[in-house]
């Protein structure tokens, strides 16, 4: 029942860059016929290419004979090259700055086109009046200087824009998780285009979502064996059945030349979002002095440690909802390709495995802490983001028959996950006393010590750290193992997403206030507490020299966490905590040139290997200021507790009596 508009979105991927197809399809043969016309003119339209084992999304940038498909399936040629730069169709504007207002400078910064170098002559840093400029104005100048453009459209912000750094690594790329505070800052300023472009372009980089290739009818009819023809048709039918849920033979074309992200001949699951991507300008193979812009995506196959990101897809869903709430433009989340991408992420996360727990089982280094830090298993950060993404997706999923099973599975997971985290991850002085007196080796369905936690696991530091008033969610839980470390992002996002109860949320903020000297000190805020030291550090981190005690992910202080702290405080009507933290940041972060993180217990030193002019340190500060100035804006990220979910939790809790009140139970527990 697919309409031509639906098919148009599927084939073109909804990208603002390439010319969109406007045609009516009669099945697979029509697709092959169109692809035949496109192939006869090299480098036309949107294609994917596998180059140096990197997936590249190619913009439509050719030197002559640019083909545009008309409504009748004909290719209209443009006979002359108008410019060496990509002349792609601009993104539709829904308010804020247009693509033309984001036109990049002619010279790339750190190899990134579209990133402005503010240290050039006449820029802010060399005007001589830096001290008279406010910190916020400086931050906005730096944030806009980090913007990356693709085919003339703003698409994201690079991780860091330090002109004096000799170790760039992948800090000149656009990271999914790093862009979140940048995207929020632009949303709150009414500049929606860059966030919309980011959402749509990263969707097109999603693993195994779009594989459009240039083939001809002749190649299909004579160049492939009957078995390969069967594979193509069978694959398309499967996508029609399981992904798009609408009859559409043009969604995918799988051939032996298809691209796939691999690591030693193994590829991750479909639906994985990349950790980062980079805009490159490369010469065309068949055209003289012509170039094209490409997006190189990294799914972890080039990352340090070769770990695929789990949090990228979760952050993408959360940002998608925030974009719709802030801009009022719900058309993006209603698109077929966006709905499909969201479903693929959910299916990847909700897939059944060998685990008995409702939490998401992930490997070490799969989130903001992207190096070995002993968080493998069920880290709180991932579980909080997972819960938030499930709530956001449930709100945005289009109500249709094909989504019923997915929504049912989503609701069931929400109940189980919420109960599991609230019941087993929570620790305060009362719970600590309970663990201290645990009986082990219990075999029964009603065991109190379900995970066989030995009381000797309670570390000495926790006895002194735990205040009389306050508590927090532990970092990880596995059989015979509780990670008692305090992980800031997971606890803060548990408040924002209502994964923590109302009482637990207040208790977490009570703990931060009570342990301000340990968790905040002179620069907000510790990513985790305490740090691993000595033999424990050697064993757990693998003697990681960057994660030495009280540095980087091992107890370092990260200014970007300020924006999550601010939202959590606003939600709980305690903004004075965030205001106090912002005042600490303003004392020195500008003078210190916006570092990535701080070292030592009291965060007195700039991180030994910290990059300066770190974009999410800049945007984290700006977002905190914007939310404090307009607290109601924090609603774009806050998830309020669902009353039906609360009722389901009451029914599922074995420690409580069932409610006498009869209510409609929409969940299967």
């Amino acid at each position: 029942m697919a309409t031509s508009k639906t098919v148009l979105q599927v084939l073109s991927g909804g990208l603002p860059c390439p010319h969109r197809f406007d045609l009516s399809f009669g099945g697979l043969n029509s697709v092959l016929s169109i692809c035949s016309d496109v192939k006869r003119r090299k480098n036309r339209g949107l294609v994917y290419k596998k180059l140096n084992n990197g997936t590249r999304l190619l913009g439509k940038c050719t030197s002559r004979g640019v083909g545009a498909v008309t409504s009748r399936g004909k290719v209209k040629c443009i006979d002359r090259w108008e410019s060496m730069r990509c002349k792609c169709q601009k993104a539709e504007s829904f308010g804020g700055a247009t693509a033309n207002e984001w036109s990049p400078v002619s010279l790339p910064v750190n190899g990134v086109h579209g990133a402005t170098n503010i240290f050039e002559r006449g820029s802010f840093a060399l005007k001589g009046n830096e001290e008279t400029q406010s910190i916020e104005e400086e931050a906005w100048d730096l944030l806009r200087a980090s913007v990356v453009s693709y085919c003339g459209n703003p698409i994201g912000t690079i991780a860091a824009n330090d002109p004096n750094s000799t170790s760039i690594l992948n800090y000149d790329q656009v990271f999914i998780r790093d862009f979140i505070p940048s995207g929020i800052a632009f949303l709150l300023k009414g500049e929606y285009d860059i966030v919309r472009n980011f959402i749509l372009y990263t969707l097109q980089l999603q693993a195994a979502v779009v594989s459009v290739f240039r083939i001809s009818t002749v190649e299909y009819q004579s160049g492939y064996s009957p078995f390969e023809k069967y594979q193509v048709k069978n694959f398309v039918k499967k996508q029609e059945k399981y992904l798009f849920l609408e009859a559409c033979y043009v969604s995918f074309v799988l051939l032996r030349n298809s691209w796939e992200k691999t690591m030693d001949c193994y590829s991750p699951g479909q639906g994985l979002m990349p950790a980062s991507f980079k805009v490159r300008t490369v010469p065309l193979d068949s055209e003289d002095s012509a170039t094209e812009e490409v997006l190189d995506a990294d799914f972890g196959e080039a990352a340090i440690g070769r770990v695929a990101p789990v949090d990228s897809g979760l952050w993408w869903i959360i940002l998608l909802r925030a974009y719709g709430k802030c801009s009022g433009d719900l058309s993006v989340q209603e698109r077929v390709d966006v709905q499909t991408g969201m479903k693929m992420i959910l299916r990847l996360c909700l897939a059944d495995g060998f685990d008995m727990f409702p939490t998401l089982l992930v490997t070490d280094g799969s989130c903001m802490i992207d190096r070995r830090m002993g968080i493998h298993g069920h880290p709180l950060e991932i579980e909080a983001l997972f819960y938030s993404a499930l709530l956001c997706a449930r709100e945005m999923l289009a109500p249709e028959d094909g989504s019923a099973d997915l929504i049912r599975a989503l609701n069931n997971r929400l109940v189980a996950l919420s109960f599991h985290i609230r019941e087993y991850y929570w620790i305060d002085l009362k719970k600590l006393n309970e663990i201290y007196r645990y009986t082990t080796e219990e075999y029964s369905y009603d065991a109190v010590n379900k995970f066989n936690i030995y009381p000797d696991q309670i570390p000495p530091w926790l006895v002194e750290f735990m205040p009389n008033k306050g508590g927090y969610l532990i970092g990880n839980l596995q059989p015979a193992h509780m990670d008692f470390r305090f992980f800031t992002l997971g606890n803060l996002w548990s408040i924002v997403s209502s994964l923590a109860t109302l009482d637990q949320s207040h208790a977490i903020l009570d703990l931060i206030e009570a342990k301000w000297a340990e968790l905040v000190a002179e620069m907000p805020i510790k990513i985790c507490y305490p740090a691993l030291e000595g033999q424990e550090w050697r064993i757990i981190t693998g003697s990681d020299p960057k994660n030495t005690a009280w540095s980087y992910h091992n107890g370092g202080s990260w200014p970007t966490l300020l924006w999550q702290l601010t939202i959590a405080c606003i939600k709980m009507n305690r903004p004075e905590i965030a205001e106090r933290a912002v005042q600490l940041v303003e004392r020195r972060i500008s003078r210190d040139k916006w570092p990535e993180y701080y070292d030592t217990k009291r965060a007195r030193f700039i991180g030994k290997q910290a990059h300066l002019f770190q974009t999410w340190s800049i945007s984290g500060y700006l977002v905190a200021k914007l939310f404090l100035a307009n607290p109601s804006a924090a609603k774009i990220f806050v998830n309020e507790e669902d009353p039906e979910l609360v009722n389901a939790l009451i029914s599922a809790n074995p420690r409580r009596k069932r409610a006498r009140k009869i209510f409609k139970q929409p969940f299967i527990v």
Side-chain angles (χ1 to χ4, degrees):
M1 301 295 293
T3 62
S4 60
K5 180 179 179 182
T6 299
V7 176
L8 178 152
Q9 288 184 348
V10 172
L11 184 60
S12 67
L15 285 172
C17 174
H19 293 285
R20 300 185 179 185
F21 296 143
D22 183 15
L23 36 83
S24 299
F25 292 95
L28 184 60
N29 290 334
S30 298
V31 180
L32 298 175
S33 176
I34 293 168
C35 291
S36 175
D37 286 337
V38 175
K39 178 168 183 168
R40 284 196 293 269
R41 297 159 178 82
K42 294 183 178 180
N43 299 297
R44 309 294 191 260
L46 175 68
V47 298
Y48 281 81
K49 181 187 292 185
K50 188 170 182 179
L51 227 165
N52 297 329
N53 197 32
T55 303
R56 290 183 170 183
L57 178 60
L58 307 184
K60 187 169 184 174
C61 312
T62 58
S63 60
R64 64 176 183 273
V66 179
V69 184
T70 66
S71 60
R72 296 186 179 182
K74 305 288 185 177
V75 177
K76 182 179 179 181
C77 296
I78 302 172
D79 294 329
R80 69 186 183 87
W81 174 251
E82 296 181 357
S83 171
M84 290 302 297
R85 286 182 54 204
C86 177
K87 289 293 185 180
C88 303
Q89 180 177 333
K90 306 299 184 190
E92 299 173 11
S93 176
F94 290 94
T98 62
N100 292 331
E101 293 174 314
W102 289 94
S103 55
V105 294
S106 58
L107 295 177
V109 178
N110 293 336
V112 179
H113 285 264
T116 309
N117 190 342
I118 68 164
F119 297 93
E120 293 174 353
R121 179 173 298 177
S123 65
F124 170 80
L126 296 183
K127 287 181 179 179
N129 59 348
E130 179 175 344
E131 294 181 357
T132 62
Q133 297 280 348
S134 70
I135 298 177
E136 290 184 62
E137 289 174 345
E138 178 191 357
W140 275 112
D141 286 342
L142 290 168
L143 179 60
R144 290 197 165 94
S146 69
V147 171
V148 175
S149 292
Y150 174 64
C151 299
N153 295 306
I155 191 176
T157 53
I158 57 175
N161 197 11
D162 183 1
N164 299 317
S165 176
T166 58
S167 177
I168 296 176
L169 296 176
N170 55 356
Y171 281 76
D172 60 347
Q173 299 188 23
V174 180
F175 280 81
I176 301 287
R177 75 174 69 94
D178 289 38
F179 178 74
I180 302 303
S182 298
I184 304 168
F186 289 123
L187 285 177
L188 297 179
K189 277 290 187 178
E191 301 171 6
Y192 306 133
D193 285 350
I194 185 172
V195 181
R196 181 178 186 272
N197 293 339
F198 175 85
I199 290 171
L200 294 179
Y201 277 108
T202 50
L203 175 66
Q204 300 309 313
L205 296 174
Q206 189 180 32
V209 170
V210 178
S211 298
V212 179
F213 299 94
R214 299 166 294 168
I215 63 173
S216 67
T217 307
V218 175
E219 285 179 320
Y220 177 74
Q221 292 176 349
S222 61
Y224 294 91
S225 67
F227 178 70
E228 287 175 326
K229 296 176 186 178
Y230 169 78
Q231 283 183 314
V232 172
K233 289 184 178 180
N234 190 47
F235 178 81
V236 172
K237 288 181 180 179
K238 284 184 178 180
Q239 304 310 319
E240 167 195 330
K241 182 177 180 181
Y242 294 111
L243 296 181
F244 287 96
L245 308 173
E246 296 185 73
C248 177
Y249 279 103
V250 302
S251 56
F252 286 69
V253 179
L254 181 64
L255 299 176
R256 52 189 167 191
N257 294 327
S258 64
W259 64 265
E260 211 171 79
K261 303 306 292 183
T262 61
M263 168 62 184
D264 295 336
C265 305
Y266 185 78
S267 59
Q270 290 189 2
L272 179 70
M273 296 296 284
S276 63
F277 62 86
K278 185 173 183 177
V279 180
R280 298 182 190 273
T281 300
V282 298
L284 286 173
D285 297 334
S286 58
E287 305 287 352
D288 296 334
S289 66
T291 61
E292 60 189 352
E293 286 186 337
V294 299
L295 294 181
D296 279 353
D298 177 17
F299 288 80
E301 75 278 9
I304 298 173
R306 301 301 190 267
V307 179
V310 178
D311 60 342
S312 292
L314 305 177
W315 276 124
W316 185 86
I317 292 176
I318 293 169
L319 182 64
L320 175 63
R321 173 180 177 264
Y323 169 81
K325 282 189 168 293
C326 194
S327 68
D329 170 30
L330 301 182
S331 65
V332 173
Q333 66 189 47
E334 293 170 354
R335 294 166 55 125
V336 174
D337 53 345
V338 174
Q339 288 282 317
T340 301
M342 185 162 46
K343 291 173 185 177
M344 291 189 72
I345 295 172
L346 294 175
R347 287 193 175 96
L348 182 63
C349 294
L350 293 171
D352 293 331
F354 291 96
D355 199 1
M356 287 294 295
F357 309 146
T359 43
L360 206 56
L361 178 63
V362 299
T363 188
D364 215 338
S366 59
C367 51
M368 180 180 176
I369 298 179
D370 56 7
R371 297 165 80 101
R372 182 177 167 188
M373 271 290 293
I375 63 169
H376 57 278
H378 310 86
L380 179 64
E381 176 182 334
I382 290 295
E383 312 315 327
L385 292 175
F386 181 36
Y387 185 81
S388 180
L390 289 179
L391 289 175
C392 293
R394 187 177 68 172
E395 185 178 317
M396 295 184 292
L397 280 172
E400 55 187 10
D401 294 338
S403 300
D405 291 341
L406 183 61
I407 294 176
R408 188 179 301 110
L410 187 153
N411 283 327
N412 292 336
R413 194 63 167 265
L414 280 170
V415 175
L417 180 61
S418 181
F419 173 80
H420 187 85
I421 296 295
R422 293 177 177 186
E423 183 73 11
Y424 304 123
Y425 275 61
W426 180 253
I427 188 168
D428 53 16
L429 196 57
K430 179 182 177 181
K431 186 63 178 289
L432 192 59
N433 271 277
E434 182 181 325
I435 296 173
Y436 185 73
R437 294 176 56 83
Y438 264 168
T439 300
T440 59
E441 316 302 333
E442 293 181 285
Y443 178 82
S444 65
Y445 291 104
D446 56 353
V448 175
N449 186 5
K450 290 183 173 65
F451 302 96
N452 201 35
I453 304 299
Y454 295 95
D456 288 345
Q457 288 187 31
I458 299 176
W461 66 263
L462 182 58
V463 178
E464 301 298 328
F465 179 76
M466 184 62 67
N468 293 328
K469 179 183 178 183
Y472 65 97
L473 296 168
I474 63 172
N476 211 329
L477 177 64
Q478 298 183 74
H481 174 67
M482 295 183 77
D483 186 347
F484 290 101
R485 286 176 293 174
F486 176 87
F487 287 88
T488 302
L489 177 53
N491 274 276
L492 293 178
W493 210 256
S494 295
I495 297 175
V496 175
S497 64
S498 293
L499 176 58
T501 66
L502 187 65
D503 290 340
Q504 289 174 348
S505 298
H506 277 295
I508 292 171
L509 295 182
D510 288 340
L511 176 81
I512 293 175
E513 279 193 309
K515 297 298 177 179
W516 190 266
E518 290 86 352
L519 300 177
V520 181
E522 298 187 23
M523 178 59 66
I525 185 172
K526 289 277 186 294
I527 192 171
C528 70
Y529 183 91
L532 301 172
E533 299 182 90
Q535 189 67 14
E536 187 180 30
W537 165 77
R538 293 184 181 90
I539 294 173
I540 293 180
T541 72
S543 300
D544 187 347
K546 193 169 184 178
N547 269 328
T548 54
W550 309 108
S551 178
Y552 201 46
H553 297 139
N554 190 15
S557 296
W558 292 70
T560 186
L561 294 172
L562 185 64
W563 74 271
Q564 285 111 336
L565 174 65
T566 302
I567 298 178
C569 292
I570 289 175
K571 182 190 175 186
M572 303 311 298
N573 197 27
R574 298 171 68 173
E576 67 279 358
I577 300 176
E579 291 171 354
R580 182 181 174 190
V582 168
Q583 291 173 0
L584 284 176
V585 169
E586 290 178 330
R587 290 178 183 177
R588 54 182 298 198
I589 195 167
S590 175
R591 184 185 65 210
D592 294 341
K593 300 181 180 179
W594 306 90
E596 179 184 12
Y597 61 93
Y598 286 81
D599 284 352
T600 71
K601 287 185 178 181
R602 295 194 55 81
R604 301 185 68 184
F605 294 165
I606 298 173
K608 187 179 295 184
Q609 298 186 45
H611 281 252
L612 302 181
F613 300 102
Q614 185 79 12
T615 303
W616 69 350
S617 295
I618 297 166
S619 57
Y621 163 74
L622 287 173
V623 170
K625 293 287 288 187
L626 289 168
F627 278 140
L628 288 173
N630 182 17
S632 62
K635 293 180 180 179
I636 66 174
F637 278 102
V638 168
N639 299 111
E640 297 296 343
E641 197 165 42
D642 187 346
E644 292 183 342
L645 184 61
V646 174
N647 288 334
L649 285 171
I650 294 174
S651 300
N653 193 341
R655 294 192 176 189
R656 299 176 182 176
K657 295 181 180 180
R658 291 187 177 273
R660 294 181 180 178
K661 183 179 179 181
I662 299 175
F663 58 88
K664 185 178 179 181
Q665 173 58 275
F667 305 116
I668 300 174
V669 180

